[in-house]
Amino acid sequence: MRTIRVETSAATILLTEAPEPKVRDRQTGERAVDAVSGEALMTLGVVYIEEGESSLIKVTVPEGGISEGLALGAPVSLPGLVARPWESVFNGQQRHGIAFRAAAVTPAAFPASEGAAA
C-alpha cells in the first residue's frame, strides 16, 4: 500500500503514552520487528494538534529512534512521519484504518504563540 508523508511543521505534537515494545503476536508475546532492518519496534501515543483540531494517534518507531529525555505531556518531534492506510479481515469482519510510522521521536519545544512579544 502507498505511504503518505505527514507534514508536521505547523502541528504541535504532545507525548501522551510512553514508548513500549510493539507486540506482533499477543498470544505468544512475540515482539514486532522491522521487515527490512530486523530492528525491534516500539509504539507510543501522541496528540497531534493542528489548526485548532486534535487527534490521538499511535505511532510506531524503531527502538533505536527513541530519544532520551522524553516526558509525558511534553512536545515531541516525529521526523519522517508517514501514514499508511490498511485493511484486513478478522473473524469475518472487514477492518480498516491508518497506521502511523516515524523514523524517530525526539523532544521538541512548544511553538511560540503568535501574539508573543519579540
Side-chain angles (χ1 to χ4, degrees), residues 61-102:
V61 177
E63 190 169 36
I66 305 292
S67 294
E68 296 291 323
L70 299 175
L72 291 179
V76 293
S77 176
L78 296 169
L81 182 62
V82 295
R84 177 178 293 147
W86 62 268
E87 58 183 48
S88 67
V89 177
F90 182 75
N91 287 338
Q93 298 279 16
Q94 185 161 357
R95 300 174 52 184
H96 61 278
I98 299 173
F100 293 91
R101 175 112 181 225

Side-chain angles (χ1 to χ4, degrees), residues 23-103:
V23 178
R24 176 186 164 117
D25 185 330
R26 290 183 185 162
Q27 292 180 335
T28 66
E30 177 187 4
R31 287 198 56 190
V33 296
D34 183 271
V36 175
S37 70
E39 186 173 7
L41 297 173
M42 306 287 283
T43 60
L44 53 103
V46 299
V47 61
Y48 184 96
I49 307 165
E50 187 174 25
E51 297 181 1
E53 295 192 20
S54 64
S55 298
L56 289 170
I57 62 173
K58 290 275 195 180
V59 181
T60 299
V61 177
E63 190 169 36
I66 305 292
S67 294
E68 296 291 323
L70 299 175
L72 291 179
V76 293
S77 176
L78 296 169
L81 182 62
V82 295
R84 177 178 293 147
W86 62 268
E87 58 183 48
S88 67
V89 177
F90 182 75
N91 287 338
Q93 298 279 16
Q94 185 161 357
R95 300 174 52 184
H96 61 278
I98 299 173
F100 293 91
R101 175 112 181 225

Side-chain angles (χ1 to χ4, degrees), residues 11-15 47 69-78 105-111:
T12 299
I13 305 169
L14 305 175
L15 185 66
V47 61
L70 299 175
L72 291 179
V76 293
S77 176
L78 296 169
V105 57
T106 60
F110 281 106

